[in-house]
Amino acid sequence: MIVYKTEEEIELIRASAKVLAQAHGEVAGMIREGITTRELDQRAEEFIRDHGGQPSFKGYNDFPYSLCISPNAVVVHGFPGDHMLKSGDIISVDCGVLLNGYHSDSAYTYPVGEVAPEVLRLLEETKKSLYLGIEQAVAGNRMGDVSYAIQNHVEKQGYGVVRELVGHGIGKKLHERPEVPNYGKRGSGLKLQTGLVLAIEPMVNLGKKDVVQEKDGWTIRTKDYKPSAHFEHTVVIRKDKAEILTSFEYIEKALQ
Protein backbone atom coordinates (compact mmCIF):
# COMPACT_ATOMS: atom_id res chain seq x y z
CA MET A 1 0.00 0.00 0.00
CA ILE A 2 1.30 3.44 -1.00
CA VAL A 3 0.52 6.23 1.48
CA TYR A 4 0.10 9.72 0.01
CA LYS A 5 0.71 12.52 2.49
CA THR A 6 -1.54 15.44 3.37
CA GLU A 7 -0.10 18.94 3.55
CA GLU A 8 -0.18 18.68 7.35
CA GLU A 9 1.85 15.49 7.21
CA ILE A 10 4.31 17.04 4.77
CA GLU A 11 4.86 19.89 7.23
CA LEU A 12 5.67 17.36 9.96
CA ILE A 13 8.17 15.65 7.66
CA ARG A 14 9.64 19.06 6.83
CA ALA A 15 10.20 19.73 10.55
CA SER A 16 11.90 16.35 10.90
CA ALA A 17 14.00 17.11 7.82
CA LYS A 18 15.20 20.41 9.29
CA VAL A 19 16.57 18.71 12.40
CA LEU A 20 18.15 16.12 10.12
CA ALA A 21 19.80 18.77 7.96
CA GLN A 22 21.17 20.52 11.04
CA ALA A 23 22.48 17.23 12.43
CA HIS A 24 24.29 16.63 9.14
CA GLY A 25 25.81 20.09 9.49
CA GLU A 26 27.09 19.22 12.96
CA VAL A 27 28.74 16.09 11.61
CA ALA A 28 30.15 17.89 8.56
CA GLY A 29 31.89 20.39 10.82
CA MET A 30 33.74 17.55 12.59
CA ILE A 31 35.01 15.67 9.54
CA ARG A 32 38.80 15.82 9.46
CA GLU A 33 41.83 13.59 9.60
CA GLY A 34 42.21 11.82 12.95
CA ILE A 35 38.58 11.78 14.09
CA THR A 36 36.84 8.42 14.51
CA THR A 37 33.53 7.54 12.94
CA ARG A 38 32.24 6.70 16.43
CA GLU A 39 32.69 10.34 17.46
CA LEU A 40 30.60 11.46 14.48
CA ASP A 41 27.86 9.01 15.42
CA GLN A 42 27.79 10.17 19.04
CA ARG A 43 27.52 13.83 18.05
CA ALA A 44 24.67 13.17 15.63
CA GLU A 45 22.67 11.23 18.21
CA GLU A 46 23.24 13.89 20.86
CA PHE A 47 22.12 16.68 18.51
CA ILE A 48 19.01 14.83 17.32
CA ARG A 49 17.87 13.99 20.86
CA ASP A 50 18.62 17.52 22.09
CA HIS A 51 16.21 18.80 19.41
CA GLY A 52 13.35 16.50 20.36
CA GLY A 53 13.94 13.79 17.79
CA GLN A 54 15.07 10.20 17.72
CA PRO A 55 17.64 8.68 15.36
CA SER A 56 15.59 6.69 12.86
CA PHE A 57 18.28 4.08 12.32
CA LYS A 58 19.13 3.20 15.92
CA GLY A 59 17.33 -0.02 16.77
CA TYR A 60 15.85 -0.36 13.27
CA ASN A 61 16.01 -4.11 12.68
CA ASP A 62 18.51 -4.06 15.57
CA PHE A 63 20.93 -1.67 13.82
CA PRO A 64 23.05 -0.46 16.77
CA TYR A 65 23.99 3.09 15.70
CA SER A 66 22.46 6.44 14.80
CA LEU A 67 24.45 6.91 11.60
CA CYS A 68 25.42 4.62 8.79
CA ILE A 69 29.02 5.65 8.07
CA SER A 70 30.50 4.00 5.02
CA PRO A 71 34.15 4.67 4.10
CA ASN A 72 35.72 4.16 0.69
CA ALA A 73 34.59 0.80 -0.79
CA VAL A 74 31.69 0.50 1.68
CA VAL A 75 28.52 1.46 -0.17
CA VAL A 76 26.03 1.74 2.71
CA HIS A 77 25.16 0.47 6.20
CA GLY A 78 28.68 0.80 7.57
CA PHE A 79 29.07 0.65 11.35
CA PRO A 80 30.61 3.64 13.14
CA GLY A 81 33.55 2.61 15.29
CA ASP A 82 37.27 3.07 15.76
CA HIS A 83 38.00 3.77 12.09
CA MET A 84 40.07 6.95 12.14
CA LEU A 85 39.65 9.20 9.12
CA LYS A 86 42.76 9.78 7.06
CA SER A 87 43.65 11.87 4.05
CA GLY A 88 42.43 10.24 0.86
CA ASP A 89 39.34 8.68 2.44
CA ILE A 90 35.80 9.33 1.38
CA ILE A 91 32.94 8.61 3.79
CA SER A 92 29.21 8.42 3.22
CA VAL A 93 27.16 9.64 6.19
CA ASP A 94 23.54 8.46 6.09
CA CYS A 95 21.14 9.68 8.77
CA GLY A 96 17.44 9.59 9.55
CA VAL A 97 15.35 11.51 12.09
CA LEU A 98 12.01 10.59 13.66
CA LEU A 99 10.23 13.69 14.96
CA ASN A 100 6.54 14.07 15.83
CA GLY A 101 5.85 10.63 14.40
CA TYR A 102 7.44 11.19 10.96
CA HIS A 103 10.77 10.18 9.48
CA SER A 104 13.18 11.98 7.16
CA ASP A 105 16.28 10.51 5.55
CA SER A 106 19.34 11.92 3.74
CA ALA A 107 22.95 11.10 2.96
CA TYR A 108 26.11 12.91 1.86
CA THR A 109 29.56 11.64 0.87
CA TYR A 110 32.60 13.61 2.03
CA PRO A 111 36.20 13.74 0.86
CA VAL A 112 38.80 13.76 3.63
CA GLY A 113 42.04 15.65 2.98
CA GLU A 114 43.68 15.07 -0.39
CA VAL A 115 41.44 12.76 -2.42
CA ALA A 116 42.30 11.38 -5.87
CA PRO A 117 40.76 13.47 -8.70
CA GLU A 118 38.87 10.50 -10.15
CA VAL A 119 37.25 9.87 -6.75
CA LEU A 120 36.30 13.54 -6.33
CA ARG A 121 34.69 13.33 -9.76
CA LEU A 122 32.72 10.26 -8.63
CA LEU A 123 31.30 12.32 -5.75
CA GLU A 124 30.46 15.23 -8.03
CA GLU A 125 28.71 13.11 -10.65
CA THR A 126 26.79 11.03 -8.09
CA LYS A 127 25.50 14.20 -6.44
CA LYS A 128 24.56 15.55 -9.87
CA SER A 129 22.66 12.34 -10.63
CA LEU A 130 20.58 12.82 -7.47
CA TYR A 131 19.35 16.19 -8.71
CA LEU A 132 18.74 14.85 -12.22
CA GLY A 133 16.55 12.16 -10.67
CA ILE A 134 14.72 14.74 -8.56
CA GLU A 135 14.02 16.81 -11.69
CA GLN A 136 11.97 13.89 -13.01
CA ALA A 137 10.07 13.38 -9.73
CA VAL A 138 6.96 15.31 -10.76
CA ALA A 139 3.29 14.38 -10.96
CA GLY A 140 2.45 12.57 -14.19
CA ASN A 141 5.91 11.12 -14.71
CA ARG A 142 6.71 7.48 -14.00
CA MET A 143 9.13 6.05 -11.46
CA GLY A 144 11.20 4.78 -14.37
CA ASP A 145 11.80 8.39 -15.46
CA VAL A 146 13.49 9.10 -12.12
CA SER A 147 15.46 5.85 -12.24
CA TYR A 148 16.55 6.31 -15.85
CA ALA A 149 17.77 9.87 -15.27
CA ILE A 150 20.11 8.63 -12.53
CA GLN A 151 21.33 5.55 -14.37
CA ASN A 152 21.81 7.28 -17.70
CA HIS A 153 23.96 10.02 -16.21
CA VAL A 154 26.29 7.90 -14.12
CA GLU A 155 26.73 5.10 -16.65
CA LYS A 156 27.77 7.69 -19.22
CA GLN A 157 30.63 8.49 -16.84
CA GLY A 158 31.62 4.81 -16.79
CA TYR A 159 30.36 4.11 -13.26
CA GLY A 160 28.38 1.19 -11.89
CA VAL A 161 24.89 1.70 -10.42
CA VAL A 162 24.06 -0.53 -7.46
CA ARG A 163 21.00 -2.72 -8.10
CA GLU A 164 20.49 -4.47 -4.77
CA LEU A 165 19.73 -1.28 -2.80
CA VAL A 166 17.13 1.32 -3.71
CA GLY A 167 15.40 4.44 -2.45
CA HIS A 168 11.97 4.27 -0.87
CA GLY A 169 8.83 5.95 0.27
CA ILE A 170 9.00 7.52 3.72
CA GLY A 171 6.62 8.88 6.35
CA LYS A 172 5.34 7.28 9.53
CA LYS A 173 7.63 4.39 8.63
CA LEU A 174 11.28 4.78 7.66
CA HIS A 175 10.82 2.51 4.66
CA GLU A 176 7.49 2.61 2.87
CA ARG A 177 6.34 1.66 -0.59
CA PRO A 178 7.21 2.32 -3.34
CA GLU A 179 10.82 1.37 -4.02
CA VAL A 180 12.87 3.93 -5.95
CA PRO A 181 15.47 2.09 -8.07
CA ASN A 182 18.50 3.96 -9.41
CA TYR A 183 18.19 2.15 -12.73
CA GLY A 184 15.23 1.66 -15.06
CA LYS A 185 13.39 2.52 -18.26
CA ARG A 186 11.76 5.81 -19.08
CA GLY A 187 7.98 5.64 -19.05
CA SER A 188 7.86 2.52 -16.90
CA GLY A 189 6.70 1.86 -13.37
CA LEU A 190 4.41 3.66 -10.96
CA LYS A 191 2.76 6.89 -12.12
CA LEU A 192 3.84 9.61 -9.71
CA GLN A 193 1.15 11.61 -7.91
CA THR A 194 1.23 14.69 -5.71
CA GLY A 195 1.69 13.97 -2.02
CA LEU A 196 4.02 11.02 -2.52
CA VAL A 197 7.12 11.46 -0.34
CA LEU A 198 10.25 9.64 -1.48
CA ALA A 199 13.82 9.18 -0.36
CA ILE A 200 15.82 9.26 -3.59
CA GLU A 201 19.36 7.96 -3.08
CA PRO A 202 21.82 7.12 -5.86
CA MET A 203 24.54 4.64 -4.80
CA VAL A 204 27.24 4.71 -7.44
CA ASN A 205 30.51 2.78 -7.73
CA LEU A 206 33.73 3.94 -9.33
CA GLY A 207 34.10 0.41 -10.70
CA LYS A 208 31.49 -2.24 -11.44
CA LYS A 209 27.97 -2.36 -10.00
CA ASP A 210 28.50 -5.58 -8.05
CA VAL A 211 28.36 -5.51 -4.23
CA VAL A 212 28.75 -8.02 -1.40
CA GLN A 213 27.51 -8.11 2.19
CA GLU A 214 30.02 -8.44 5.00
CA LYS A 215 29.69 -11.03 7.78
CA ASP A 216 28.14 -8.49 10.20
CA GLY A 217 24.92 -8.79 8.19
CA TRP A 218 24.78 -5.05 7.47
CA THR A 219 27.84 -3.63 5.76
CA ILE A 220 27.60 -3.56 1.95
CA ARG A 221 30.81 -2.97 -0.03
CA THR A 222 31.84 -3.03 -3.65
CA LYS A 223 32.97 -6.43 -4.87
CA ASP A 224 36.02 -4.94 -6.59
CA TYR A 225 36.94 -2.78 -3.54
CA LYS A 226 36.71 0.42 -5.58
CA PRO A 227 35.17 3.51 -3.91
CA SER A 228 31.43 4.14 -3.82
CA ALA A 229 29.44 7.37 -3.35
CA HIS A 230 25.97 7.93 -1.89
CA PHE A 231 23.80 11.05 -1.84
CA GLU A 232 20.16 11.22 -0.71
CA HIS A 233 17.30 13.68 -0.28
CA THR A 234 13.74 13.30 1.00
CA VAL A 235 11.39 14.93 -1.54
CA VAL A 236 7.68 15.33 -2.12
CA ILE A 237 6.07 14.97 -5.55
CA ARG A 238 4.45 18.19 -6.75
CA LYS A 239 2.71 19.19 -9.97
CA ASP A 240 5.56 20.98 -11.76
CA LYS A 241 8.68 20.53 -9.63
CA ALA A 242 9.59 18.19 -6.80
CA GLU A 243 10.03 19.88 -3.42
CA ILE A 244 13.17 18.88 -1.56
CA LEU A 245 12.36 18.61 2.15
CA THR A 246 15.87 17.81 3.38
CA SER A 247 18.77 20.17 2.78
CA PHE A 248 22.54 20.20 2.28
CA GLU A 249 22.66 23.86 3.32
CA TYR A 250 24.11 23.22 6.78
CA ILE A 251 26.66 20.78 5.36
CA GLU A 252 27.84 23.29 2.79
CA LYS A 253 28.17 26.03 5.40
CA ALA A 254 30.20 23.73 7.64
CA LEU A 255 32.53 22.83 4.78
CA GLN A 256 33.32 26.44 3.83
Side-chain angles (χ1 to χ4, degrees):
M1 178 179 174
I2 294 173
V3 180
Y4 296 89
K5 308 304 187 292
T6 66
E7 288 303 318
E8 291 76 14
E9 288 178 304
I10 291 166
E11 288 307 309
L12 291 170
I13 297 172
R14 190 193 311 280
S16 171
K18 183 172 183 179
V19 173
L20 173 56
Q22 292 171 330
H24 268 295
E26 291 290 310
V27 171
M30 295 173 66
I31 290 176
R32 62 183 182 276
E33 295 175 58
I35 199 165
T36 66
T37 54
R38 189 188 310 279
E39 291 174 90
L40 303 179
D41 181 72
Q42 289 170 343
R43 178 59 189 136
E45 179 171 1
E46 177 184 47
F47 183 90
I48 292 165
R49 294 193 187 281
D50 283 351
H51 288 77
Q54 300 173 46
S56 295
F57 300 169
K58 192 163 190 177
Y60 181 81
N61 291 338
D62 296 324
F63 187 80
Y65 300 100
S66 298
L67 298 179
C68 295
I69 302 185
S70 306
N72 302 318
V74 178
V75 181
V76 286
H77 302 164
F79 283 9
D82 297 328
H83 177 87
M84 190 175 290
L85 302 187
K86 62 183 186 302
S87 183
D89 281 344
I90 60 169
I91 62 161
S92 164
V93 177
D94 191 359
C95 186
V97 167
L98 173 63
L99 181 71
N100 297 323
Y102 287 85
H103 294 273
S104 56
D105 192 2
S106 68
Y108 197 96
T109 304
Y110 299 87
V112 182
E114 296 296 320
V115 172
E118 64 269 23
V119 179
L120 287 175
R121 185 167 172 269
L122 170 69
L123 269 57
E124 179 184 335
E125 299 299 341
T126 302
K127 186 178 180 184
K128 188 180 294 183
S129 77
L130 168 62
Y131 289 102
L132 289 171
I134 291 170
E135 282 181 9
Q136 297 300 315
V138 294
N141 276 3
R142 300 270 178 182
M143 188 67 77
D145 298 320
V146 177
S147 305
Y148 175 83
I150 294 168
Q151 179 184 12
N152 182 58
H153 178 73
V154 297
E155 288 188 347
K156 279 183 177 178
Q157 319 303 318
Y159 304 141
V161 180
V162 174
R163 263 56 169 184
E164 291 83 352
L165 302 149
V166 296
H168 50 92
I170 189 168
K172 287 185 177 179
K173 295 181 179 178
L174 177 60
H175 292 106
E176 298 182 351
R177 292 188 62 200
E179 292 188 341
V180 187
N182 296 307
Y183 61 96
K185 295 181 179 180
R186 283 182 292 190
S188 67
L190 177 73
K191 188 173 184 180
L192 303 178
Q193 299 180 42
T194 56
L196 180 61
V197 179
L198 301 173
I200 300 175
E201 50 177 324
M203 290 157 271
V204 179
N205 302 340
L206 185 62
K208 296 181 178 180
K209 61 180 173 55
D210 306 291
V211 298
V212 296
Q213 187 175 60
E214 300 285 15
K215 291 180 181 178
D216 61 23
W218 281 99
T219 305
I220 305 291
R221 66 160 174 83
T222 58
K223 190 173 182 180
D224 59 14
Y225 286 95
K226 291 187 177 180
S228 184
H230 178 208
F231 289 86
E232 177 182 18
H233 271 313
T234 297
V235 307
V236 58
I237 305 299
R238 299 292 194 186
K239 184 178 179 182
D240 298 311
K241 183 180 180 181
E243 182 181 2
I244 302 174
L245 299 177
T246 46
S247 173
F248 294 154
E249 172 191 359
Y250 298 96
I251 292 172
E252 290 162 357
K253 283 182 179 178
L255 296 178
Q256 288 177 354

